[in-house]
Amino acid sequence: MAFDSTRLNRISTWMQSYVDTRRFAGASVLVSQSGEEVFYDDCGLRDVENAAPWQRDTVARIYSMTKPVTSVALMMLAERGLFHLDAPVSDFIPAFSDMHCLLDGATGIDQVMPCATPTLHQLLTHTSGLSYAFNPGILGQEMTAQKIEFRGDRETLAQACDRVAALPLAFAPGTRWEYSVAIDIIGRVVEIVSGKSLEQFFVEEIFAPLGMDETRFSVPAALRDRFAACYTPLAGDAFSVGKVAAADNTLRLIDGVDKSPFLDANLYSGGGGLVGTIDDYLKFCEMMRTGGSGLIGPKTLEFMMRNHLGGDIASMGPSSFAEQPMEGMGFGIGGAVLLDAGRARAPGSVGDFSWGGMASTFFWIDPVTDLSVVFFTQLIPSSAYPARPQLKALIHGAMT
């Protein structure tokens, strides 16, 4: 499968239109096929206030595109025979030993019944019963009230995990799918099993071997002049996935380059804490596409990038947000798996493995056409515009 260069250049026009209409401040797209770069372009600004251009080496918040990295870390440890994925998380974090879940139809956080402790596999696949503060429902509301966000410097990862364990689950583990802080919990398991901080494990066992020298939990001092600002088109809480009034300014600054919590992170969020460059993230995608680069076995990656649900995400009755469509899309370990492009309403190959981040970043790996694609921008929430299916349509439309 080759590409028509004229059609590929439509991506540049499309990106520029997002910048010209002030939907994105700046953006970049990197496309690689069979290990060879076939397209790259960027446009706009990484920092509107300082008129700094978006460039290839811009450092961006990748938020939930951290999740596949954390999932790979756990599976690297599983390959060493240190645990099995059916192990309850309480084997590692005792605070999860005595679990309860909300009753069906509960109207208060205290209306609960006893339930099983989630397993590592249920955490990895978002079927654990955990949630996010921005999700609808009683548990999301309570997490908002208690400011359980896995962001900022108020507490350590261990303390945040214990606070999550003190709350009931939204449902009995294994019965539904709901996007959640589960991969933050998995990050803590990586720390406990490896005896290293999550940052140390990432740097020593993933980033250094892959040459991902510009991806970290905190923006390195030497890279701060390349760090992008982050924006929202909303007037209210940018992290809301519900209906929030639009701001008068479609690029309202919410996280600048001078006082960002990403400049000095004390809590290593395996669910959403990394910052890095587009070329670094392509190295991670290529490691997964080509069979592990010696870090992890190809059969383990094959296991990760297959659907682990009984059907698609929609069949498990979620009421939550997801970084990908729920219909026609299954979920593996660390990302979504395309089952039916028609039902997902975007072109793609069966088996595409993908995920995105809250600041509208996105990646996918296509094992059929040997593609790795990475898209970077900095706009929250990622549900603001249909950029992801548009980009997939542009790239598939350029194939000959």
Side-chain angles (χ1 to χ4, degrees), residues 155-297:
E155 59 190 346
T156 65
L157 177 57
Q159 290 168 334
C161 289
D162 285 349
R163 291 210 294 142
V164 169
L167 294 174
L169 301 173
F171 49 84
T175 61
R176 282 170 43 197
W177 191 97
E178 183 154 312
Y179 198 38
S180 73
V181 298
I183 310 303
D184 286 292
I185 310 301
I186 289 293
R188 178 60 183 150
V189 174
V190 170
E191 292 189 329
I192 292 166
V193 174
S194 69
K196 302 177 179 180
S197 72
L198 191 61
E199 179 177 57
Q200 184 183 6
F201 188 94
F202 279 5
V203 170
E204 294 179 359
E205 307 210 30
I206 298 176
F207 297 159
L210 295 179
M212 295 173 65
D213 300 327
E214 298 187 327
T215 301
R216 296 291 187 270
F217 282 108
S218 298
V219 182
L223 308 184
R224 290 187 179 184
D225 62 348
R226 295 196 258 132
F227 187 37
C230 195
Y231 301 90
T232 186
L234 303 181
D237 181 8
F239 284 86
S240 173
V241 295
K243 291 186 177 181
V244 179
D248 293 334
N249 179 4
T250 57
L251 293 173
R252 180 170 69 88
L253 180 68
I254 54 171
D255 188 13
V257 298
D258 298 326
K259 297 181 180 179
S260 172
F262 289 93
L263 295 176
D264 187 18
N266 294 317
L267 188 155
Y268 303 137
S269 168
L274 288 174
V275 294
T277 59
I278 196 168
D279 279 283
D280 263 16
Y281 205 84
L282 181 70
K283 292 173 184 176
F284 179 78
C285 292
E286 283 291 277
M287 176 276 292
M288 296 195 75
R289 184 187 68 81
T290 59
S293 301
L295 302 185
I296 188 169

Side-chain angles (χ1 to χ4, degrees), residues 133 140-148 163:
Q141 293 168 8
E142 186 64 23
M143 292 177 72
T144 298
Q146 294 192 24
K147 299 188 185 309
I148 299 177
R163 291 210 294 142

Side-chain angles (χ1 to χ4, degrees), residues 4 63 78 93 114 135 149-150 170 172 178 189 192 211 213 235 276 300 304-305 320-321 323 328 334 365 375 387 396:
D4 181 309
Y63 282 108
I93 307 175
N135 280 334
E149 301 168 334
F150 288 88
E178 183 154 312
V189 174
I192 292 166
D213 300 327
T300 302
M304 292 177 67
M305 293 193 286
S320 63
F321 167 81
E323 293 286 355
I365 299 165
F375 174 69
H396 281 271

